[in-house]
Amino acid sequence: MNRRETLALLGTIAALPASVLAQQPNAPRRLGVLSVTAADDAIGQARSTILVETLAAHGWKEHDNLRIDWRSGAGDRARIARLADELVALKPDILLAVGTPSVEELRQRTTTIPIVFAVVTDPVSQGFVKNLAHPGGNITGFTDYDGPLAGKWLEMLTQVTPKVSRVIVVYNPATAPFAPLMLRTIEDAARTLHVTVEAAPVHDAGSIAALASRKDGGLLVLPDFFTMANRAQLLAAIGEARVPAVFWSRTFVDEGGLMSYSTDSAEQLRRAANYIDRILKGAQAADLPVQNPTKFELAINLKTVRALGLAMSPSLLAIANTVVE
């Protein structure tokens, strides 16, 4: 092979897409991860560790045969959109989307790169997949919600003494587009439980702070990475209002919230890593069914119960998985 032929061959190889180059001998595969939580947040760090460890157990080791490009949106929708552009431009072999906004942004930018999602609500109604059993397209993953869950949150608030007759539902419409689905379930349950439900959208520090004046009922905080990213301010406002509140993640309870009933997001990341492994080994996202949550956890903070002068239903305390003293 002469010099001209050698240069031509090198030029051809350089022009190959990353997905092809990744399949060359000894070349690492490439995974792009887009999460709505902040990279330095305790939750984000824990999820990253779980993902890396589970992938390693399948033989995919970061900095060895797998390159992971991490991007974290910190609850900022505009930032998530910019990061989605960055990741798709890198032409990874596969993408992991953690949270609904991450899926929404990535699916707008690629129909060919496989996307596995985790901690996502109602992917069918949101148009991410055709159905759970046969998702079709390039997207599949794991949901964090099933129908009765929202009604369970409301029921928990009715098991607090003094009795709650009004429940204020907190969420950010921009980062929780699935909220109307949950509100319908909550309103249906409210008629049976004889309570009044009122939506209270939040979108910035001012609207969160305004919750401190809502002393006329309990608060129900919907799954929403905006509320997670701003949980310190949210917990402070609820603490000032001195009303009972139920949350979608145990993290709130660990940091002073009253109670939560939630899915196990750590388990979802482990299961997502299993799908990533299968797709990297040749499986098609369209053929892998979307799976609903299988593990739920009830957590109650007794210190907060006492601070608010409340009494909890003995039956509720009896089934709690975690009781923070």
Side-chain angles (χ1 to χ4, degrees), residues 146-165:
D146 67 354
L149 194 56
K152 181 66 176 179
W153 292 322
L154 190 66
E155 182 184 352
M156 289 168 61
L157 281 173
T158 66
Q159 297 185 54
V160 173
T161 305
K163 181 175 175 55
V164 172
S165 59

Side-chain angles (χ1 to χ4, degrees), residues 148-167 189 193-195 218-220 244-246 258-261 298 300 302 305 309-320:
L149 194 56
K152 181 66 176 179
W153 292 322
L154 190 66
E155 182 184 352
M156 289 168 61
L157 281 173
T158 66
Q159 297 185 54
V160 173
T161 305
K163 181 175 175 55
V164 172
S165 59
R166 176 184 294 274
V167 174
L193 296 168
H194 306 293
V195 297
L219 293 179
L220 193 164
V246 62
L258 179 64
M259 55 186 172
S260 66
Y261 188 61
L298 169 61
I300 298 174
L302 287 183
V305 172
L310 303 173
M312 304 295 293
S313 163
S315 62
L316 194 63
L317 287 170
I319 62 172

Side-chain angles (χ1 to χ4, degrees), residues 240-251:
E240 186 176 343
R242 294 188 57 79
V243 294
V246 62
F247 302 90
W248 60 277
S249 170
R250 177 183 161 178
T251 301

Side-chain angles (χ1 to χ4, degrees), residues 253 256-258 300-309 323-325:
V253 177
L258 179 64
I300 298 174
N301 190 319
L302 287 183
K303 183 178 179 180
T304 303
V305 172
R306 291 189 290 269
L308 294 176
V323 176
V324 179
E325 298 286 351

